Amino acid sequence: MKKIILMLLVFFLGTKMFAQQDSQYTQYMYNTVNVNPAYAGSRGALSIFGLHRTQWVGLDGAPVTNTFSMNSPLGDSGLGGGISFVNDRIGPTAMNNISADLSYTILVSEKYDLSFGIKGSVGLFNLDTEKLHIYDQSDANLVSVKNEFSPNVGAGIYFHSDKTYLGLSVPQFLQTKRYADNDRAVYLDKMHVYLIGGHVFDLSPSLQFKPAFLLKAVEGAPLQLDVSGNFMFNEKFVLGASWRWGAAVSAMAGFQVTNGMYIGYGYDLETTKLSHYNAGSHEIFLRFELVNKNRGFISPRFF
């Protein structure tokens, strides 16, 4: 019966079936701390971030992700800390991940810093069999799973200035099988490797351009490459687009409401055959920062 569950879930999980892909974000450049703990505190302010993503609208059981995080420098010690929560729902499954990050930053030149980070996390996995069409109701092996606990640990490095960043990270080193049947599992966490980078170009006093990329690798799944470009006008309005290799094209927009508040929106249009069965994906986030008056506000840090 567990193999029947696997077949029912394959449509929802796609490449997540045999090598679980972490939560996917179009606006990854604003959500770096979830994949790289070395980012914690790098903005020089208490940064509070919330994101909601609805993927493949109109498709029953499609992924829905909610993210909340906080990170901040810890005084003038060079340390940074943060916490984050991610809720990822796919079909009858739900995964809650709670993380704590700690970073340490060293000055390598007048402009550039190098940060090292570690991440500790716990995962709580849930499977609701009432959301499945069950062939054999008497199968004693078919049971719901509630808050199946699994710890994990990750690490990352982050090289950055006010206008440039490059990071390498592995947010989870440990592999976890959930609802396993011999060598198969409904939900399989594997080690993901992230390489991210971007740079802000000053095109004029009122216009900046920031190209960025994210490269994600995991055993058993295709290499994922996201490339994006964003324009910022008068340090207030942001417009951009991105391309996900073999998967989607996206449009992005953002507005710096105040010095400490930024809101962003992204829309994905699938370029695969799945585009015939959904109306695209929507993503919205809000970032709020409490700026230390002694440090000032960093501009144009739209990453």
Side-chain angles (χ1 to χ4, degrees):
M1 178 54 71
K2 290 181 183 178
K3 292 181 178 179
I4 294 177
I5 297 177
L6 290 172
M7 290 187 290
L8 290 171
L9 290 177
V10 69
F11 182 70
F12 299 117
L13 301 184
T15 58
K16 296 189 178 189
M17 190 64 189
F18 300 106
Q20 169 64 29
Q21 291 280 351
D22 287 346
S23 301
Q24 179 172 278
Y25 306 102
T26 296
Q27 299 167 109
Y28 52 86
M29 65 291 295
Y30 302 105
N31 197 30
T32 304
V33 74
N34 273 321
V35 299
N36 192 333
Y39 184 84
S42 67
R43 287 189 59 82
L46 171 61
S47 184
I48 303 170
F49 181 91
L51 177 145
H52 173 75
R53 178 179 175 85
T54 302
Q55 191 163 325
W56 303 334
V57 173
L59 190 64
D60 287 341
V64 176
T65 301
N66 290 288
T67 298
F68 174 80
S69 67
M70 297 175 60
N71 73 91
S72 173
L74 303 178
D76 296 319
S77 62
L79 294 172
I83 57 173
S84 61
F85 172 77
V86 178
N87 170 260
D88 209 9
R89 302 194 305 273
I90 307 175
T93 69
M95 183 68 184
N96 296 311
N97 194 275
I98 305 167
S99 304
D101 302 311
L102 182 66
S103 69
Y104 180 69
T105 299
I106 59 174
L107 184 67
V108 295
S109 73
E110 292 184 359
K111 293 184 178 181
Y112 293 95
D113 294 331
L114 181 62
S115 302
F116 304 88
I118 56 174
K119 179 186 291 287
S121 62
V122 293
L124 300 172
F125 173 74
N126 295 269
L127 171 64
D128 186 357
T129 57
E130 293 185 0
K131 295 181 179 180
L132 294 172
H133 297 290
I134 302 172
Y135 176 74
D136 183 2
Q137 295 285 345
S138 64
D139 190 342
N141 292 320
L142 186 60
V143 295
S144 293
V145 176
K146 186 173 182 180
N147 292 332
E148 183 179 276
F149 176 87
S150 61
N152 221 309
V153 63
I157 57 175
Y158 187 66
F159 180 73
H160 57 101
S161 69
D162 289 351
K163 294 188 177 182
T164 303
Y165 69 93
L166 184 66
L168 180 67
S169 62
V170 178
Q172 295 185 335
F173 282 111
L174 306 179
Q175 176 177 300
T176 303
K177 289 184 178 181
R178 311 182 193 281
Y179 215 90
D181 184 2
N182 296 323
D183 61 341
R184 299 188 182 187
V186 168
Y187 209 95
L188 177 61
D189 293 327
K190 284 196 172 184
M191 186 176 75
H192 291 62
V193 180
Y194 289 85
L195 178 65
I196 59 173
H199 180 76
V200 178
F201 294 94
D202 292 323
L203 302 183
S204 76
S206 61
L207 178 63
Q208 289 85 37
F209 172 63
K210 187 197 63 170
F213 74 90
L214 179 148
L215 185 66
K216 180 166 65 174
V218 56
E219 180 187 354
L223 191 69
Q224 180 178 309
L225 173 65
D226 287 60
V227 179
S228 65
N230 281 282
F231 291 91
M232 176 177 272
F233 303 88
N234 296 316
E235 299 185 9
K236 288 290 185 182
F237 299 97
V238 174
L239 291 175
S242 69
W243 169 74
R244 184 172 301 120
W245 183 17
V249 293
S250 308
M252 296 176 287
F255 178 57
Q256 191 76 46
V257 182
T258 67
N259 277 350
M261 183 182 295
Y262 182 85
I263 187 169
Y265 169 78
Y267 174 76
D268 294 359
L269 180 65
E270 287 290 315
T271 57
T272 67
K273 293 181 180 179
L274 195 60
S275 63
H276 301 297
Y277 307 99
N278 73 90
S281 304
H282 300 271
E283 187 177 284
I284 187 169
F285 76 86
L286 177 66
R287 183 177 68 197
F288 180 73
E289 294 181 312
L290 298 176
V291 180
N292 186 321
K293 293 182 180 179
N294 294 326
R295 294 175 182 269
F297 188 76
I298 300 173
S299 177
R301 280 287 307 275
F302 59 113
F303 59 86

